[in-house]
Amino acid sequence: MFDVAVFGSLFLTLFVIMDPPGITPIFLALTAGRPAKVQRRMAFQAVCVAGGVIVLFGLIGQQILDYLHVSMPALMIAGGLLLLLIALDLLTGKNDEPQQTKDVNVALVPLGMPLLAGPGAIVSVILAVQKADSTPAQVSVWAAILAVHVVLWLVMRYSLLIIRVIKDGGVVLVTRLAGMMLSAIAVQQIINGVTQVIQGS
């Protein structure tokens, strides 16, 4: 009742796309200045939001996109633009002002969606669910999704130990680094979307 090949393939695909190691500096930057207890809760919330979005699109994703007349490239470009706006805030230091972000739950946006549950992960899950034509394959697909989200939670949860080492100055450096990485991810996502539009025309 379990297909190891399907599990391994989807797990590796989602691991590369959702990138648990790469999310660490972005998570630390977006949650900087908050109590450790709040940061741990936000790590859990981000994974829950991402998991909820992935499960939703895995079950009825194609129907949702068809109903809204939204193409995959459009989803990619929109997600890329949203990430780019957040990246610019990180790079320019606007997020350093506590009053601006104190009441904003970054676990929902941008961490949960579209950073973790982005267009790439959504498309991969939709395709994997469609290709899973047996019960073992279906079980393996959902097991892989669960496993990736457990890894994401563990990485973000224990990345908080880094803050104790790098202190405030290190947090600022990590924030700028995260902004640069996030802007690159955003631009690449936009390029991928535009490329698919051109190829499809």
Side-chain angles (χ1 to χ4, degrees):
M1 293 296 291
F2 194 80
D3 192 322
V4 177
V6 172
F7 174 87
S9 175
L10 183 58
F11 179 85
L12 287 175
T13 299
L14 290 178
F15 188 90
V16 170
I17 293 173
M18 301 176 90
D19 192 14
I23 202 69
T24 301
I26 298 172
F27 171 73
L28 292 176
L30 291 173
T31 61
R34 292 175 172 85
K37 183 178 179 181
V38 174
Q39 289 176 310
R40 287 193 294 269
R41 187 174 72 241
M42 293 178 101
F44 182 72
Q45 288 176 336
V47 171
C48 288
V49 169
V53 171
I54 291 294
V55 168
L56 178 65
F57 276 89
L59 293 173
I60 56 171
Q62 194 59 59
Q63 292 89 328
I64 291 174
L65 295 179
D66 290 343
Y67 177 76
L68 296 174
H69 303 291
V70 174
S71 65
M72 293 293 183
L75 191 64
M76 287 181 148
I77 294 171
L81 290 172
L82 178 58
L83 289 181
L84 188 58
L85 290 173
I86 295 158
L88 291 175
D89 279 349
L90 291 176
L91 283 170
T92 56
K94 288 182 180 178
N95 69 314
D96 292 338
E97 299 174 28
Q99 289 77 12
Q100 285 189 334
T101 60
K102 205 71 174 178
D103 299 323
V104 176
N105 192 348
V106 296
L108 307 180
V109 177
L111 278 174
M113 171 85 181
L115 202 49
L116 295 179
I122 289 172
V123 171
S124 298
V125 168
I126 290 175
L127 294 177
V129 171
Q130 289 175 348
K131 290 178 182 176
D133 52 3
S134 65
T135 300
Q138 285 283 348
V139 170
S140 302
V141 165
W142 295 108
I145 293 170
L146 177 62
V148 167
H149 283 79
V150 169
V151 172
L152 281 166
W153 175 75
L154 288 173
V155 169
M156 288 192 291
R157 167 69 175 77
Y158 291 101
S159 69
L160 298 175
L161 299 175
I162 298 173
I163 290 183
R164 298 179 185 176
V165 178
I166 62 177
K167 307 299 181 183
D168 290 343
V171 169
V172 174
L173 178 62
V174 167
T175 299
R176 299 297 180 268
L177 175 63
M180 186 172 65
M181 291 171 55
L182 194 56
S183 62
I185 293 170
V187 170
Q188 186 61 55
Q189 198 162 288
I190 294 170
I191 290 172
N192 292 344
V194 171
T195 301
Q196 287 192 23
V197 170
I198 294 173
Q199 290 175 345
S201 60

